[in-house]
Coordinates of all heavy atoms in Angstrom, one line a residue:
P150 N 15.2 3.1 21.6 CA 13.9 2.6 21.8 C 13.4 1.7 20.6 O 12.7 0.7 20.9 CB 13.0 3.9 21.8 CG 14.0 5.0 22.3 CD 15.3 4.6 21.8
C234 N 16.0 10.2 19.4 CA 16.0 9.0 20.2 C 16.8 7.8 19.6 O 16.4 6.7 19.5 CB 14.5 8.5 20.4 SG 13.4 9.7 21.0
F283 N 8.5 2.2 26.9 CA 9.9 1.8 27.3 C 10.5 2.7 28.4 O 10.0 3.8 28.6 CB 10.8 1.9 26.0 CG 10.7 3.2 25.3 CD1 11.4 4.3 25.7 CD2 9.8 3.3 24.2 CE1 11.3 5.5 25.0 CE2 9.7 4.5 23.5 CZ 10.4 5.6 23.9
K285 N 13.1 5.2 29.8 CA 13.9 6.2 29.1 C 15.3 6.2 29.8 O 15.8 7.2 30.3 CB 13.3 7.6 29.2 CG 13.0 8.1 30.6 CD 12.5 9.5 30.5 CE 12.5 10.3 31.8 NZ 12.3 9.6 33.0
Y287 N 18.1 5.1 28.1 CA 19.2 5.0 27.1 C 20.2 6.1 27.4 O 19.9 7.2 27.9 CB 18.6 5.2 25.7 CG 17.4 4.2 25.5 CD1 16.1 4.6 25.7 CD2 17.7 2.9 25.1 CE1 15.1 3.7 25.5 CE2 16.6 2.0 24.9 CZ 15.3 2.4 25.1 OH 14.3 1.5 25.0
F289 N 21.7 8.4 25.7 CA 21.5 9.7 25.2 C 20.3 10.4 25.8 O 20.1 11.7 25.7 CB 21.2 9.6 23.6 CG 20.2 8.6 23.2 CD1 18.9 8.8 23.3 CD2 20.7 7.3 22.8 CE1 17.9 7.9 22.9 CE2 19.7 6.3 22.5 CZ 18.4 6.6 22.5
C290 N 19.5 9.7 26.6 CA 18.3 10.4 27.3 C 18.8 11.5 28.3 O 18.0 12.4 28.6 CB 17.4 9.4 28.0 SG 16.6 8.2 26.8
C293 N 18.4 14.8 26.8 CA 17.2 15.1 26.2 C 16.4 16.2 27.0 O 16.1 15.9 28.2 CB 16.3 13.9 26.1 SG 14.7 14.2 25.4
T295 N 13.4 17.6 26.0 CA 11.9 17.6 25.8 C 11.2 16.4 26.5 O 10.1 16.6 26.9 CB 11.6 17.5 24.3 OG1 12.2 16.2 23.8 CG2 12.2 18.6 23.5
K296 N 11.9 15.3 26.6 CA 11.2 14.1 27.2 C 9.9 13.8 26.5 O 8.9 13.5 27.1 CB 11.0 14.2 28.7 CG 12.3 14.5 29.5 CD 13.2 13.3 29.6 CE 14.4 13.5 30.5 NZ 15.5 14.2 30.0
T297 N 9.9 14.0 25.2 CA 8.6 13.8 24.4 C 8.0 12.5 24.6 O 6.8 12.3 24.6 CB 8.9 14.0 22.9 OG1 9.7 15.2 22.8 CG2 7.6 14.2 22.1
C298 N 8.8 11.5 24.7 CA 8.3 10.1 24.9 C 7.4 9.9 26.1 O 6.4 9.2 26.1 CB 9.5 9.1 24.9 SG 10.5 9.3 26.3
Ligands
LIG437 S1 13.9 10.8 27.0 FE1 14.1 11.9 25.1 S2 15.8 10.9 24.0 FE2 15.1 9.5 25.6 S3 13.6 8.2 24.5 FE3 12.5 9.9 25.5 S4 12.3 11.5 24.0 FE4 13.9 10.0 23.3

Side-chain angles (χ1 to χ4, degrees):
C234 307
F283 49 82
K285 57 177 197 327
Y287 305 96
F289 47 84
C290 294
C293 175
T295 61
K296 304 282 188 283
T297 315
C298 64

